[in-house]
Amino acid sequence: AGTSKNFNKKYPKSTLPKKTIHLNINEATELQYKELYGVGDILAKRIVTFRTKLGGFHSTEQLKEVYGLTPETYNEIRSQLFVPQNFTIDKININTATIEELDNHPYISNKLASQIVKYRDKAGLYSDISQLQKMYAMNDTLYQKLSPYLTIH
């Protein structure tokens, strides 16, 4: 235990060499993520996996949702991250998606997926995504997070 204390005193984090890069968070590979301060093998893999499940990031803020990425690490790297303006997110069509397809999205619980499909089966196709705001399992925060990933076409 004494050695790690000495190591930390001898080599404080702030003096560790850092590489300054600008990373498109929707195209970066695990290897590129690992070039960022505080991001190792496991965290890089989690970021790429989460991005894939989401259908892409629409904001760098979404990286805060990746398990294991501390607020400190995010604050350290956020100036190096960007989402290109012309990036297109993979969207889920709520008029054709199955419960399973909806449930695979990180922001959609099985309960919400079931409600979306049951409502569609009873009332017909959705004419607007905002109709989801009436769902029991939906709140304003969730709707704001989820709506960029949904379409009716």
Side-chain angles (χ1 to χ4, degrees):
T3 345
S4 65
K5 271 188 177 179
N6 292 340
F7 180 83
N8 288 339
K9 284 182 183 173
K10 194 173 176 185
Y11 301 103
K13 277 187 182 181
S14 60
T15 62
L16 292 174
K18 293 180 209 164
K19 197 171 185 179
T20 301
I21 56 175
H22 293 286
L23 207 59
N24 173 343
I25 64 173
N26 283 310
E27 293 179 356
T29 63
E30 287 180 33
L31 194 59
Q32 289 170 313
Y33 273 112
K34 286 174 19 180
E35 291 179 19
L36 294 169
Y37 175 84
V39 179
D41 292 341
I42 294 170
L43 192 51
K45 186 175 186 67
R46 284 182 187 154
I47 292 168
V48 171
T49 300
F50 186 58
R51 176 183 69 199
T52 303
K53 287 181 179 178
L54 277 176
F57 294 114
H58 63 81
S59 161
T60 58
E61 296 278 311
Q62 290 176 285
L63 283 175
K64 293 178 179 179
E65 298 172 33
V66 176
Y67 178 76
L69 182 65
T70 65
E72 295 80 18
T73 300
Y74 175 78
N75 288 336
E76 186 74 36
I77 65 174
R78 72 176 170 197
S79 65
Q80 297 175 275
L81 309 173
F82 72 95
V83 175
Q85 288 187 348
N86 62 349
F87 181 75
T88 306
I89 294 170
D90 292 337
K91 295 185 181 248
I92 300 171
N93 185 332
I94 59 173
N95 281 323
T96 59
T98 64
I99 291 174
E100 293 75 24
E101 289 168 335
L102 290 163
D103 189 32
N104 279 333
H105 195 278
Y107 294 160
I108 302 177
S109 66
N110 184 267
K111 183 177 187 175
L112 179 58
S114 297
Q115 285 180 0
I116 291 169
V117 171
K118 284 178 187 170
Y119 179 88
R120 182 180 72 210
D121 290 346
K122 280 186 195 170
L125 297 180
Y126 291 91
S127 57
D128 195 274
I129 293 168
S130 65
Q131 290 174 272
L132 294 179
Q133 291 176 297
K134 298 173 186 163
M135 303 282 156
Y136 175 74
M138 180 73 72
N139 59 43
D140 290 341
T141 304
L142 179 57
Y143 180 76
Q144 293 305 317
K145 279 175 56 168
L146 184 56
S147 59
Y149 294 97
L150 303 177
T151 185
I152 55 169
H153 300 104

